[in-house]
Amino acid sequence: MTLSERQLRILDFIRKYIEENDYPPTIREIGKAVGIPSTSVVKYNLERLQEKGHIERSGEVSRGLRLKSRPSSSPDTRNAMPRVVEIPKLGVISAGTPLAAFGQQEDPFAGETLALTEDLVPRGQGLYALQVKGDSMIDALVFDGDWVIILHQNTAQRGDMVVAWIKDKEETTLKYYFPEGPVVRLQPANPTYQPIRVPAEQLEIQGKVVAIVRQLA
């Protein structure tokens, strides 16, 4: 089951704390580390982590947490939890009428990152996150407000979901990529939208979608 960004941060803190101290943190220590002042909110997220099978909890002791993925018989591999990758948020991407290229936008998320475990995204450099605005890709299960994780590259295969920069208009859009000779068809995934056809020389690929994140908490 998918974890929220907040739950990923809590899980990563618990893992690191246990590695450093050989015992789990308290609820207040978790809240302080991840910026949650309310212990009830911390407890709520711990309950969700327990429901999703990542931890076990005992309400009878103050440090009653245990990572379910931690092997009890191997002291050298105390935690099999995947590492958290911090992916920079670089702005918004249109899933509808094209917007100004994200590099030319005023970034409302400057300095912010999206935390994902490394098993959800490709390893290596060149990943960035854009928040989706619009509904032209809803049949691909990409909704307004979702985050798309982009691998920066300048090429794409037919049918890839890409960040496409329309050079002469200096606009970007999120669409499926279909080269058709001298023209590229940027295909939406919503029947109420028409495809966008762009001369191939006026189109630049700025990345390929490798993951979609929906934040629920």
Side-chain angles (χ1 to χ4, degrees):
M1 297 177 67
T2 303
L3 300 182
S4 70
E5 182 177 358
R6 173 175 285 174
Q7 290 160 4
L8 284 168
R9 290 182 183 277
I10 290 173
L11 198 58
D12 192 48
F13 172 72
I14 294 171
R15 175 185 58 76
K16 290 177 179 176
Y17 191 99
I18 293 175
E19 286 181 349
E20 294 171 1
N21 299 280
D22 205 31
Y23 55 83
T26 65
I27 287 176
R28 292 189 182 278
E29 287 169 336
I30 294 170
K32 182 178 180 180
V34 299
I36 304 175
S38 169
T39 57
S40 63
V41 174
V42 176
K43 290 178 181 177
Y44 169 83
N45 283 280
L46 291 176
E47 288 171 0
R48 302 292 79 75
L49 288 171
Q50 184 175 16
E51 289 175 356
K52 295 172 183 179
H54 293 279
I55 65 172
E56 290 182 350
R57 299 174 64 223
S58 171
E60 299 177 358
V61 292
S62 63
R63 297 181 185 273
L65 292 175
R66 186 174 75 85
L67 290 172
K68 293 188 70 174
S69 58
R70 175 176 175 173
S72 57
S73 60
S74 178
D76 294 327
T77 56
R78 290 192 284 177
N79 198 325
M81 289 298 299
R83 296 281 179 174
V84 170
V85 178
E86 300 284 346
I87 299 172
K89 298 177 178 179
L90 296 188
V92 299
I93 180 70
S94 170
T97 302
L99 292 172
F102 62 86
Q104 301 172 13
Q105 302 168 12
E106 181 179 346
D107 185 2
F109 312 108
E112 296 183 17
T113 61
L114 194 65
L116 296 176
T117 53
E118 64 181 2
D119 59 325
L120 298 178
V121 292
R123 297 186 180 216
Q125 302 298 314
L127 293 174
Y128 61 93
L130 298 173
Q131 189 173 48
V132 175
K133 298 296 181 185
D135 62 357
S136 73
M137 301 301 288
I138 57 173
D139 286 352
L141 301 181
V142 181
F143 297 93
D144 185 70
D146 286 354
W147 288 90
V148 285
I149 309 304
I150 310 298
L151 177 62
H152 178 69
Q153 59 185 53
N154 298 122
T155 60
Q157 299 295 316
R158 183 179 179 85
D160 283 347
M161 190 185 303
V162 301
V163 174
W165 179 34
I166 304 171
K167 296 179 185 179
D168 57 345
K169 297 182 179 180
E170 296 189 344
E171 295 174 335
T172 57
T173 187
L174 183 71
K175 296 288 186 291
Y176 284 124
Y177 170 77
F178 289 96
E180 298 176 341
V183 173
V184 173
R185 171 167 51 93
L186 299 175
Q187 182 67 41
N190 183 333
T192 64
Y193 286 80
Q194 294 298 313
I196 300 171
R197 288 181 168 82
V198 181
E201 70 273 11
Q202 292 297 329
L203 188 80
E204 181 178 303
I205 303 299
Q206 295 193 331
K208 171 185 173 180
V209 175
V210 295
I212 301 163
V213 177
R214 185 163 304 128
Q215 294 181 276
L216 303 177

